[in-house]
């Protein structure tokens, strides 16, 4: 089965540096099949018969043992990735109207390791501003921001929902979906 593994917080600044070619080699050496990485921010597409949860646990342990780094990993199978893309709560025109003329990305997906509780969501919602909107579907949060993600009060609160949370912009999500879908046919 095709899976997507998202490594949190790597190759940002001087901390948690991982060479994607080296990571790919390590994964292949440890029995993962058809491994592909996309850009330098910890996006891995691979074949595995494990559940997404078990794959995340195993990849975290492997990165710890081979690279001596504690890196949270969130995994999704291709079916879940497809559901995420097709369940997008915002239409393309709305996203375009928010992002037009901006020099930064405006639409993101925050990947969580589990679905947040109602209490967590209620607390999270108190940080929402008029420049920020979000929709939670399962263990994913779609974030539509009129401000930069670095300025977003809401985005800074994601860690309180899940310490493993990792974020990708929508264009990266779409590219990963395209690669994973084609990967499934090619491998």
């Amino acid at each position: 089965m095709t899976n997507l593994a998202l490594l949190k917080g790597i190759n940002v600044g001087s901390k948690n540096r991982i060479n994607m070619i080296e990571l790919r080699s390590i994964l292949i050496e440890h029995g993962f099949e058809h491994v592909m990485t996309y850009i330098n921010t910890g996006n891995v597409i691979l074949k595995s018969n494990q559940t997404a949860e078990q794959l995340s646990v195993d990849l975290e342990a492997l990165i710890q043992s081979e690279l001596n780094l504690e890196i949270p990993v969130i995994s999704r199978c291709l079916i879940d990735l497809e559901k995420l893309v097709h369940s997008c709560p915002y239409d393309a025109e709305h996203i375009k109207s928010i992002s037009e003329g901006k020099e930064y990305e405006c639409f993101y997906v925050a990947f969580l390791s589990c679905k947040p509780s109602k209490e967590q969501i209620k607390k999270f919602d108190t940080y929402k501003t008029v420049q920020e909107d979000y929709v939670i579907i399962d263990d994913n949060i779609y974030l539509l921001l009129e401000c930069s993600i670095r300025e977003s009060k809401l985005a800074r609160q994601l860690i309180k929902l899940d310490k493993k949370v990792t974020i990708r912009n929508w264009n990266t999500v779409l590219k990963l979906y395209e690669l994973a879908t084609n990967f499934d046919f090619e491998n």
Side-chain angles (χ1 to χ4, degrees):
M1 178 187 323
T2 299
N3 287 275
L4 171 65
L6 302 169
L7 284 65
K8 177 183 179 171
I10 66 157
N11 300 333
V12 180
S14 61
K15 256 179 82 172
N16 298 331
R17 306 294 298 170
I18 298 178
N19 180 297
M20 292 295 101
I21 295 169
E22 180 183 5
L23 177 62
R24 183 178 180 278
S25 296
I26 289 169
L27 295 174
I28 291 169
E29 285 172 22
H30 285 84
F32 289 99
E33 298 178 22
H34 309 290
V35 180
M36 171 186 184
T37 60
Y38 173 68
I39 61 179
N40 208 31
T41 55
N43 305 297
V44 181
I45 299 169
L46 51 77
K47 294 281 186 182
S48 174
N49 291 325
Q50 298 172 294
T51 64
E53 295 81 14
Q54 189 57 52
L55 179 61
S56 293
V57 168
D58 288 353
L59 290 176
E60 287 172 1
L62 186 58
I63 291 167
Q64 171 66 45
S65 69
E66 292 292 320
L67 300 171
N68 200 28
L69 293 170
E70 288 187 36
I71 305 293
V73 177
I74 302 283
S75 298
R76 297 286 190 266
C77 69
L78 180 58
I79 293 166
D80 289 341
L81 185 59
E82 180 176 36
K83 181 180 173 189
L84 178 146
V85 168
H86 292 295
S87 297
C88 178
Y90 304 103
D91 64 48
E93 285 303 310
H94 184 63
I95 295 167
K96 184 179 177 185
S97 73
I98 297 294
S99 61
E100 210 162 38
K102 303 233 174 43
E103 293 181 14
Y104 50 83
E105 297 290 334
C106 294
F107 188 36
Y108 297 85
V109 176
F111 296 85
L112 306 172
S113 62
C114 60
K115 198 173 179 177
S117 69
K118 288 180 182 177
E119 185 179 295
Q120 286 177 306
I121 295 168
K122 188 176 178 181
K123 193 179 273 188
F124 181 68
D125 197 53
T126 64
Y127 292 95
K128 183 177 165 184
T129 69
V130 294
Q131 290 188 311
E132 302 167 313
D133 192 32
Y134 74 92
V135 175
I136 300 174
I137 299 178
D138 299 324
D139 48 4
N140 303 301
I141 302 176
Y142 301 83
L143 294 164
L144 187 58
L145 309 173
E146 290 186 41
C147 59
S148 163
I149 195 164
R150 289 186 165 94
E151 297 168 4
S152 169
K153 292 178 182 181
L154 195 63
R156 284 193 295 263
Q157 300 306 310
L158 289 167
I159 194 80
K160 293 180 181 176
L161 292 177
D162 183 354
K163 289 181 180 176
K164 289 183 156 191
V165 65
T166 189
I167 304 167
R168 299 298 186 273
N169 71 53
W170 187 243
N171 290 332
T172 298
V173 171
L174 292 177
K175 185 63 178 180
L176 289 168
Y177 174 62
E178 176 191 329
L179 292 169
T181 302
N182 293 331
F183 188 79
D184 205 41
F185 288 114
E186 293 170 5
N187 295 294

